[in-house]
Amino acid sequence: MKVLLLGGTGEARALAQLLVSAGVEVVSSLAGRTADARLPVGGVRTGGFGGVDGLSAWLLAHPVDAVVDATHPFAATMTAHAVAAAGEVGVPLLILRRPGWTAAPDDTWHWVDTPSAAAELLPTLGSRPFLTIGRQGLPAFAPLGLQGPSAVAPLGLVNLPSILARCVDAPEPLPTWCTLLLARGPFDLTAELDLMRLHQIDVLVTKDSGGPATSAKLTAARELHIPVIVIRRPPLPAGVEVVTSADEALAWTLKR
Ligand code: NAP
């Protein structure tokens, strides 16, 4: 049995490990945008396929018994392409998506659909935001950062923009309107509390990525009584099988 595993997530790496251990031949596919990416076990190919046609052509040239889309919940284009191409070629497809986050009773979460909507809402909630939305959504917040450096900067530093943005890799070109922190999870609660206190954060902006690796910021926001703007996930394509764990995806695959 051979599987194309669309990856770039911790779940995809976990599933690759499970599949390889079960004797399944796996080709994990990575977009190739993250420098120093964590590689899964098994075979790996890197780079875009070239849209639906490119992926269909790849599937015809490299026959597989199943496709598992274990990309990030916000990688909606790849998911849509995978559904279309697998349908065209007639290969069974499964989506593996970790569950989203849910607010606790003490939380003040504001749900929005897009980074632009988050940027619009943000000034009504705070003036020292912490943006944890990856680099792709950052440009929507640039107009907020052009209002000048903060009056009170942490540690006596001056001229630090009051917007703190955290990404795995630096956006290009480098934004000058925010203080940029390059870091890759997992993040723990103590570090998140320290960081948010240091930068005097008063509002957190996040995507509903789900999963434990980056959820400590939500607990920190709760403890610091900070409101959170949560960007909703793009909807999943209709009529596709979806599971939420690597174990379930393994079981589905072994039944093909
Ligand atoms: P996207 O917007 O859905 O995809 C854009 C294009 O990138 C796709 O059309 C495809 O190019 C290529 N691509 C994406 N994922 C690929 C994969 N696994 N293998 C081969 N090509 C892929 O995706 P994205 O949001 O930029 O995410 C890119 C990758 O980073 C994904 O693998 C995702 O799992 C991972 N990731 C994303 C986020 C996030 O917040 N979006 C967070 C963590 C990890 P072609 O059309 O040329 O095939």
Side-chain angles (χ1 to χ4, degrees), residues 7-255:
T9 59
E11 296 77 57
R13 286 190 297 277
L15 179 57
Q17 181 72 66
L18 290 173
L19 288 168
V20 167
S21 301
V24 177
E25 189 183 345
V26 182
V27 178
S28 289
S29 177
L30 304 177
R33 300 222 198 93
T34 307
D36 196 21
R38 291 173 185 148
L39 292 179
V41 298
V44 176
R45 68 160 298 286
T46 303
F49 293 95
V52 176
D53 291 347
L55 179 52
S56 297
W58 191 96
L59 288 169
L60 290 171
H62 309 82
V64 294
D65 300 290
V67 176
V68 179
D69 170 24
T71 55
H72 190 270
F74 282 79
T77 304
M78 188 67 251
T79 295
H81 290 181
V83 171
E88 258 179 40
V89 177
V91 182
L93 176 127
L94 178 75
I95 295 179
L96 165 57
R97 274 297 172 285
R98 66 180 88 134
W101 289 316
T102 47
D106 289 347
D107 288 330
T108 312
W109 288 13
H110 302 262
W111 290 86
V112 296
D113 286 322
T114 60
S116 301
E120 199 174 317
L121 178 64
L122 197 154
T124 68
L125 298 173
S127 59
R128 299 194 60 88
F130 181 22
L131 308 181
T132 61
I133 53 166
R135 58 186 157 161
Q136 295 185 60
L138 281 185
F141 296 85
L144 300 176
L146 296 178
Q147 292 158 10
S150 60
V152 185
L155 287 181
L157 297 170
V158 291
N159 290 337
L160 271 185
S162 58
I163 297 179
L164 176 67
R166 182 168 66 195
C167 308
V168 174
D169 289 307
E172 290 178 11
L174 266 183
T176 53
W177 52 267
C178 63
T179 300
L180 191 62
L181 174 61
L182 299 184
R184 188 199 301 247
F187 303 106
D188 70 36
L189 179 59
T190 306
E192 295 292 55
L193 282 167
D194 287 349
L195 181 71
M196 287 161 77
R197 285 191 181 114
L198 175 68
H199 289 268
Q200 300 161 10
I201 297 302
D202 60 8
V203 53
L204 171 69
V205 185
T206 180
K207 299 193 284 195
D208 179 19
S209 296
T214 58
S215 64
K217 62 190 172 186
L218 298 166
T219 311
R222 186 177 310 140
E223 291 195 9
L224 298 171
H225 306 291
I226 290 171
V228 183
I229 302 177
V230 187
I231 302 172
R232 274 191 199 90
R233 294 177 170 196
L236 283 166
V240 180
E241 276 189 85
V242 182
V243 296
T244 56
S245 70
D247 285 334
E248 290 170 286
L250 172 69
W252 178 90
T253 308
L254 294 180
K255 282 194 213 137

